[in-house]
Amino acid sequence: MTLLPYITEYTEFTGPIYATEPTKAYGKCVLEEGLWVTDSGLQRSSSYTGSASVASTSTLAGDRPSEEGQTTHTMPYTQQDIIAAMEKINDVRLNEIVAPVPFVQVYARSSGYCIGGANWTVAYKGHRTAFISTSAFATCLHPQEWDGSVLSEAQAIVFCDAVDPAESEDSEINTVPQNVQISQRINQLCSTAISTLKQRSRVLLIGEPYGVTQDILQVIAENAMSMNLPLPQFIFISPVAEHTVQYGNIMGEWLCAAKQAMLYLPEYPFVDKDLRQKGHLHFVRSLSELAIRSIPQGIWFVIASPRDTATINHFIRQWQQDAKQCGGADMAAGTGASKFSVLLYDDDVARAQSIVNRISATNEVTYVPVSQRLTHHAIEQCLAGATRAQHVLVPSHIYSRLPPSISNNLDFKLLEYSYLQATEIDLDTDRHLPLNIQKEMTQQLKRTGKQHAVVSGQLLLAAGEIRLERIDDSSTADSSSQDAETKAKSKSDTQVAEAVRPSIRMAANLDNYDLSAWTPERLASELGDIGLNAAAVDDTTDASSNKKKLVRITIPSGTATIRMHGGWTVDCTSVNTQWVVLDSLRQVLKAG
């Protein structure tokens, strides 16, 4: 979702996009918050131009040091791009069946991870392929529980996300069930918060303004009221929190059974409505708005996004100054302005650890990793329900952690794959043949006067189309010449596709530069001078005797090809590669 506006507005992608209704709603908020945090950081560093940009090296091209010394990133899209991308999404309700093309049905089952979190099944003539996205087995949170039918119905299963064992060294993950583990960790976080509130001290919770934060807010508010503690002033510092918190009260079909039952009672499924009516819940878009808002007196419980480093740093600095200026009585008792707690939970381990390292030098931070995502142990357990599966694909880092004996106990083939790399699967069925290939084969058989024939070949993805490369000798001489021509074209297209797979092509928008004096050799040399591995090579797709040259670039994130004849075009294997190449290209052209 993070790069969706860039894909829809700055690449040649024109395919349909499907998402559940909550994913579309929450996704728009997440994109807008990321853009707002970025813009605010760049404005503070006085280097923001207000336009979309692309990346230059392994980090973003717009990376600037902010006033806190942190790196501030520009986003590769604007607010208008976000709106345009959202308009292109087709909403899908829970268990709704959609038909993007004839004979193909797609539907979503709850993944248990969050409101709107779904695992997708693609059905074609009775053959089902399930794509397992970020999922959770926990039943102690507010989203609807995991729907295991997505596994029991599928012949092919692809696990798209799981916790990398290298990021989690906690032995509890291996020994404690996920539901118990999450309950314990939320209780640990809330216990620390309640202890702080008992001392009439302030709390800073670093977490997303949705999801687990709503469960934490509920537990803390209920415990405070049951213990007759003064209710704190809960303050969300986020431009989107008011929307994301309210969405939970209107997405009824995506809530757990206990929350759904409350929809038919004279009370709300979440505590936010009650807190707001009592004047103890406030939504503030930014620090500047907080400065002019009138917040009632009381203990502050502030919730800030882990992406909003400015807000986090502001409250830590301000509360540290208050602690230094507090009276001796407060210091002796450890109460009031002399003490505050910083609580942090985050599924993104690397980001959470970065925050902890940054602020733990001067403050005590309670970091509780409330991980909901599937582990390799959870995947091993849920595979027992894959009763119809013939092929199961898991990421390489998970495949290496599964016990070798698991394959002996399963009736399906277990395969591994790596992100952004092609993985081949031998399917013992012809149901996956596209209609255009079936029609082409039927016409060939009619020309030869045959009604049945055994056809052998390979399905190839070339130039954005699936083609069949025949390797049998059953065709006649007339069809052989046609097949040879088709094979030659397919082979040529395949060579290009293999060089740039997965291919992202766009016409380079270089109207502001004089391109007439540039040659492939000069461009490769100039790109090499700024650190890119670039070379001028023959264009293998050029059938003429005098082959034209193109520029081939290889970087750690992928490869790119720049064609300079007939209009400059850039083919890249990934979005990150495209950012690097286009930014470097503009840098070279500007200097030249």
Side-chain angles (χ1 to χ4, degrees):
M1 178 65 80
T2 305
L3 288 177
L4 182 62
Y6 180 82
I7 294 172
T8 59
E9 306 307 312
Y10 294 95
T11 71
E12 293 184 351
F13 176 81
T14 57
I17 303 171
Y18 296 92
T20 62
E21 293 176 309
T23 297
K24 179 178 178 180
Y26 281 108
K28 182 174 183 289
C29 290
V30 171
L31 292 171
E32 289 178 343
E33 183 188 51
L35 192 63
W36 177 87
V37 170
T38 300
D39 290 356
S40 300
L42 290 173
Q43 288 169 358
R44 285 189 298 272
S45 61
S46 301
S47 60
Y48 180 57
T49 60
S51 60
S53 63
V54 295
S56 63
T57 58
S58 59
T59 57
L60 293 180
D63 289 359
R64 306 286 197 278
S66 68
E67 62 179 359
E68 292 85 5
Q70 303 301 315
T71 301
T72 305
H73 308 290
T74 59
M75 301 299 285
Y77 46 79
T78 64
Q79 176 67 29
Q80 291 72 24
D81 297 331
I82 295 176
I83 296 174
M86 293 300 108
E87 293 176 350
K88 297 175 182 177
I89 295 179
N90 299 294
D91 298 347
V92 180
R93 300 189 63 184
L94 181 64
N95 299 326
E96 178 187 1
I97 299 177
V98 296
V101 294
F103 306 109
V104 174
Q105 294 181 331
V106 179
Y107 52 89
R109 301 277 196 247
S110 174
S111 70
Y113 182 76
C114 61
I115 296 178
N119 296 319
W120 295 84
T121 297
V122 180
Y124 176 66
K125 293 187 176 180
H127 190 284
R128 292 178 174 86
T129 301
F131 295 90
I132 310 302
S133 62
T134 306
S135 302
F137 290 160
T139 58
C140 58
L141 302 177
H142 64 270
Q144 186 176 114
E145 295 82 356
W146 154 276
D147 188 342
S149 64
V150 68
L151 294 179
S152 60
E153 298 172 347
Q155 285 80 28
I157 303 172
V158 181
F159 285 89
C160 304
D161 180 70
V163 176
D164 189 341
E167 295 182 355
S168 179
E169 301 176 355
D170 194 341
S171 60
E172 280 193 12
I173 293 181
N174 303 336
T175 58
V176 180
Q178 188 183 43
N179 199 50
V180 176
Q181 173 198 332
I182 291 177
S183 296
Q184 290 176 345
R185 297 193 170 185
I186 289 180
N187 289 336
Q188 176 187 347
L189 198 71
C190 295
S191 177
T192 303
I194 291 295
S195 297
T196 305
L197 295 176
K198 281 183 179 179
Q199 301 178 27
R200 303 187 64 81
S201 298
R202 296 169 290 194
V203 178
L204 172 62
L205 174 64
I206 303 174
E208 304 288 0
Y210 49 84
V212 179
T213 298
Q214 292 181 270
D215 296 292
I216 294 174
L217 190 69
Q218 182 110 12
V219 173
I220 292 175
E222 291 176 351
N223 274 272
M225 289 185 284
S226 65
M227 299 173 67
N228 293 322
L229 295 176
L231 265 179
Q233 297 294 338
F234 293 97
I235 306 172
F236 280 89
I237 310 293
S238 169
V240 299
E242 186 168 11
H243 297 292
T244 57
V245 172
Q246 290 177 351
Y247 282 150
N249 295 301
I250 60 175
M251 304 287 186
E253 64 177 350
W254 291 95
L255 297 178
C256 65
K259 294 292 185 184
Q260 286 189 15
M262 298 179 68
L263 294 173
Y264 304 100
L265 299 176
E267 54 184 295
Y268 295 101
F270 295 97
V271 74
D272 60 282
K273 291 289 185 181
D274 187 35
L275 289 176
R276 200 164 190 180
Q277 290 174 357
K278 293 179 179 180
H280 284 268
L281 180 62
H282 312 274
F283 297 99
V284 181
R285 293 182 57 85
S286 63
L287 290 174
S288 58
E289 181 179 326
L290 180 64
I292 60 175
R293 283 280 294 271
S294 177
I295 305 295
Q297 291 185 351
I299 305 169
W300 279 23
F301 189 109
V302 178
I303 301 100
S305 169
R307 288 182 292 272
D308 192 356
T309 57
T311 296
I312 296 171
N313 294 338
H314 166 80
F315 279 103
I316 290 177
R317 285 198 304 263
Q318 184 64 49
W319 290 354
Q320 283 176 338
Q321 293 175 4
D322 292 346
K324 294 178 181 179
Q325 298 171 3
C326 69
D330 284 336
M331 287 291 290
T335 60
S338 69
K339 182 180 178 182
F340 63 91
S341 293
V342 179
L343 310 180
L344 168 65
Y345 82 89
D346 199 347
D347 243 1
D348 189 332
V349 176
R351 181 174 62 185
Q353 195 58 54
S354 174
I355 296 174
V356 171
N357 294 340
R358 189 172 71 248
I359 64 180
S360 60
T362 56
N363 303 274
E364 182 179 346
V365 182
T366 301
Y367 169 42
V368 180
V370 186
S371 179
Q372 302 170 250
R373 298 161 58 198
L374 294 181
T375 64
H376 62 282
H377 291 281
I379 290 179
E380 182 181 354
Q381 294 172 7
C382 71
L383 285 179
T387 55
R388 300 180 60 187
Q390 300 172 0
H391 302 85
V392 175
L393 280 79
V394 297
S396 298
H397 64 269
I398 295 297
Y399 184 86
S400 61
R401 293 299 184 109
L402 295 175
S405 59
I406 189 173
S407 300
N408 302 328
N409 302 328
L410 302 176
D411 296 330
F412 50 77
K413 189 174 182 181
L414 187 65
L415 304 170
E416 65 174 319
Y417 72 93
S418 298
Y419 296 117
L420 297 181
Q421 293 185 10
T423 302
E424 295 183 359
I425 309 176
D426 295 327
L427 298 173
D428 53 355
T429 173
D430 61 352
R431 294 170 180 161
H432 287 71
L433 274 181
L435 293 177
N436 63 320
I437 295 179
Q438 297 182 26
K439 186 180 297 184
E440 179 184 348
M441 293 172 60
T442 301
Q443 293 174 350
Q444 291 179 359
L445 290 175
K446 285 182 178 180
R447 287 196 296 266
T448 60
K450 297 180 180 180
Q451 294 183 346
H452 304 281
V454 177
V455 178
S456 299
Q458 292 182 337
L459 291 177
L460 301 176
L461 178 62
E465 299 179 356
I466 298 179
R467 299 176 180 174
L468 176 67
E469 182 176 355
R470 297 278 294 273
I471 59 175
D472 61 288
D473 298 324
S474 59
S475 55
T476 62
D478 292 338
S479 61
S480 295
S481 60
Q482 184 177 358
D483 288 346
E485 181 180 352
T486 302
K487 288 180 182 180
K489 189 175 187 303
S490 298
K491 184 176 181 181
S492 174
D493 290 339
T494 303
Q495 291 174 348
V496 177
E498 288 177 350
V500 298
R501 185 181 293 138
S503 178
I504 302 174
R505 169 174 290 190
M506 69 176 295
N509 185 13
L510 306 171
D511 297 337
N512 297 329
Y513 305 101
D514 182 12
L515 307 178
S516 59
W518 287 91
T519 64
E521 291 78 8
R522 180 190 173 191
L523 181 60
S525 176
E526 294 284 349
L527 291 172
D529 290 342
I530 63 172
L532 294 185
N533 182 11
V537 298
D538 290 334
D539 188 351
T540 57
T541 62
D542 189 355
S544 62
S545 57
N546 185 20
K547 293 185 179 298
K548 296 181 175 62
K549 294 280 188 179
L550 54 80
V551 177
R552 180 73 47 78
I553 302 170
T554 303
I555 59 177
S557 61
T559 60
T561 303
I562 302 177
R563 290 179 172 82
M564 304 167 62
H565 47 274
W568 285 39
T569 59
V570 180
D571 291 326
C572 302
T573 58
S574 68
V575 173
N576 284 339
T577 304
Q578 184 170 319
W579 291 354
V580 172
V581 171
L582 287 182
D583 186 73
S584 301
L585 186 59
R586 292 188 176 97
Q587 179 181 345
V588 167
L589 294 177
K590 184 177 181 179

